[in-house]
Amino acid sequence: MSSWFLIIISFLPIIGGMIVGFINCPFKIKKIVSYIIVLTTTILTWVSLFVVNKDSFILFTIVKNYNITLKLDSLGKVFAGMVSILWPLALLYSYGYMKHDERKSSYNSFYVMTYGVVLGLAFSGNLLTMFVFYEM
């Protein structure tokens, strides 16, 4: 499987969280959609831990020798594995915690987007990519 898989894993929650934030529907539906996005990303992350090789994938080049690169190395696998286990569990806990808050919808969408950013940090192939995902 190619390294395009890492792009899908990183940007699925980011784009999905934006969509969840912009759709106008009851919070129950937003909750279900966001949890489906998080679980899908978790499953894809665990598949990538065993399937994607250590090749790096250059998204684009800013200047010569300065690339935005995604790579799944050994330490990234450990970090992505831990995050993908804890993130869905924390999302379940946060629903009860944020039950009476008036901005729970925006919290939910930003929480889902942050999942993609943290996975992007785990898949960073160099310091420039890590900085870009950190600033997201």
Side-chain angles (χ1 to χ4, degrees), residues 70-91:
L70 295 178
K71 181 180 181 179
L72 188 58
D73 55 356
S74 299
L75 189 59
K77 284 183 179 185
V78 171
F79 186 64
M82 285 189 332
V83 166
S84 65
I85 289 172
L86 295 175
W87 215 268
L89 297 175
L91 182 62

Side-chain angles (χ1 to χ4, degrees), residues 11 57-63 66-69 128-129 132:
F11 288 102
F57 180 77
I58 297 174
L59 285 170
F60 59 89
T61 302
I62 297 175
V63 184
Y66 291 102
N67 303 319
I68 302 296
T69 306
L128 180 63
T129 308
V132 167

Side-chain angles (χ1 to χ4, degrees), residues 93-106:
Y93 174 77
S94 71
Y95 288 144
Y97 186 75
M98 297 291 290
K99 183 171 40 176
H100 300 294
D101 199 314
E102 60 188 36
R103 295 173 294 174
K104 59 186 170 192
S105 180
S106 62

Side-chain angles (χ1 to χ4, degrees), residues 20-85:
V20 166
F22 286 126
I23 58 175
N24 191 12
C25 62
F27 182 68
K28 238 180 196 180
I29 294 173
K30 287 185 178 189
K31 216 164 61 166
I32 292 169
V33 170
S34 64
Y35 206 72
I36 288 171
I37 291 169
V38 168
L39 282 179
T40 304
T41 305
T42 299
I43 291 168
L44 291 176
T45 301
W46 276 94
V47 168
S48 74
L49 295 180
F50 298 107
V51 174
V52 174
N53 54 9
K54 291 186 179 185
D55 293 338
S56 62
F57 180 77
I58 297 174
L59 285 170
F60 59 89
T61 302
I62 297 175
V63 184
K64 185 179 179 184
N65 295 331
Y66 291 102
N67 303 319
I68 302 296
T69 306
L70 295 178
K71 181 180 181 179
L72 188 58
D73 55 356
S74 299
L75 189 59
K77 284 183 179 185
V78 171
F79 186 64
M82 285 189 332
V83 166
S84 65
I85 289 172

Side-chain angles (χ1 to χ4, degrees), residues 117-132:
V117 171
V118 171
L119 287 174
L121 283 170
F123 300 150
S124 295
N126 56 24
L127 281 175
L128 180 63
T129 308
M130 188 177 203
F131 177 74
V132 167

